[in-house]
Amino acid sequence: TQNLLEILDDEVYYDIVIEVGNEPHVKSFHAHMVILYYRSPYLKRILSINKKKVYDNLVHIRLPNISPEI
């Protein structure tokens, strides 16, 4: 479990960027896709169905209908 905690805090080896909110209130979160895929049914649907934008081997998802505060 200690290794998993280290992975969650890792800012080097993340593979997904999630942008939430609308301009000018946008916030980006770096995360690990495999963890999101298996822990969140909502994000699992998004990752499975929607086309993803890939930049430099990163998956980029925009969720403008979600407030950055959430």
Side-chain angles (χ1 to χ4, degrees), residues 29-47:
F29 297 93
H30 299 162
H32 303 277
M33 187 171 16
V34 70
I35 293 172
L36 296 177
Y37 184 86
Y38 287 102
R39 298 290 296 173
S40 170
Y42 175 75
L43 289 172
K44 185 175 190 173
R45 273 193 317 276
I46 290 174
L47 292 169

